[in-house]
Amino acid sequence: MDNGKARRPLWTIILALLLGALALWGASRMVWFAEFRDEGVRGTVLHTVLGEQRATALVPLAILALAGVAGAVATGGWLRRVLGIVLVLAGAAGVWTGVDGIKFGGFAPGLPGTEIVLGHLLAVLGGILVALGGLAAIKWAGAARKLGARYAAPGARAARKDPDTELWEALSEGDDPTDGGDPRR
């Protein structure tokens, strides 16, 4: 496998996780709930609640996705598969967080209904991207390169034996180690 194809799966995992983390963080900064409240002397005031206040899992899931990037780069094999499973579960949690409580209409005039819906949908998108990154990590656990793979020792090399040990092993097998097949002897 050439270098370009060996790196492609790792970049796919990293890109999906980074975009998923960005989407989850962006959803946490958007308005998820809004209502008009009577504040007495101040009159009727628009009260808004951000995603990070309404769905507190958004920021930790984004941080977990970023940590997943580091984990995907640094691990390989079965450890990357375990990381992929964790990321798929985190992505499912992100999707659930975005779907939970969403409504597509019925907003009073003056409320930021579009931003509320977009915040939920952005969380769903972020969860899907994190889950896809986890699935890619599971699928390409062995194929994608890991950190330091360029500097890893090549395949198993035959270990050199001590010449004295080889002589003793030959004696144990009944061979004469001093008989080199030289006809002058």
Side-chain angles (χ1 to χ4, degrees):
M1 187 184 303
D2 71 0
N3 264 351
K5 288 185 181 179
R7 290 183 189 165
R8 201 166 294 137
L10 185 59
W11 280 109
T12 304
I13 296 167
I14 291 170
L15 187 63
L17 292 176
L18 286 176
L19 290 176
L22 183 64
L24 288 169
W25 179 80
S28 76
R29 306 301 303 157
M30 296 181 83
V31 174
W32 276 47
F33 176 77
E35 68 180 1
F36 291 109
R37 290 188 178 171
D38 185 15
E39 296 284 326
V41 176
R42 291 178 52 198
T44 303
V45 176
L46 177 64
H47 172 73
T48 60
V49 177
L50 295 179
E52 64 186 350
Q53 298 165 326
R54 186 79 171 190
T56 57
L58 290 173
V59 174
L61 288 172
I63 292 171
L64 180 65
L66 287 178
V69 170
V73 169
T75 62
W78 68 269
L79 199 55
R80 191 178 282 165
R81 284 185 181 93
V82 170
L83 174 68
I85 292 169
V86 170
L87 290 170
V88 167
L89 293 174
V95 170
W96 177 256
T97 301
V99 170
D100 187 35
I102 190 172
K103 67 178 189 175
F104 293 102
F107 297 105
L111 291 181
T114 305
E115 185 177 353
I116 293 171
V117 171
L118 286 177
H120 283 272
L121 293 178
L122 196 57
V124 170
L125 175 65
I128 290 171
L129 287 170
V130 171
L132 287 176
L135 289 172
I138 293 169
K139 179 180 179 184
W140 293 316
R145 297 173 58 138
K146 69 177 189 176
L147 185 67
R150 176 184 295 182
Y151 306 106
R157 292 181 179 164
R160 288 187 161 184
K161 290 188 177 181
D162 181 31
D164 292 333
T165 305
E166 288 180 356
L167 291 174
W168 283 108
E169 286 177 358
L171 278 175
S172 297
E173 293 173 4
D175 295 333
D176 182 6
T178 59
D179 182 26
D182 190 359
R184 292 181 276 165
R185 286 195 177 188

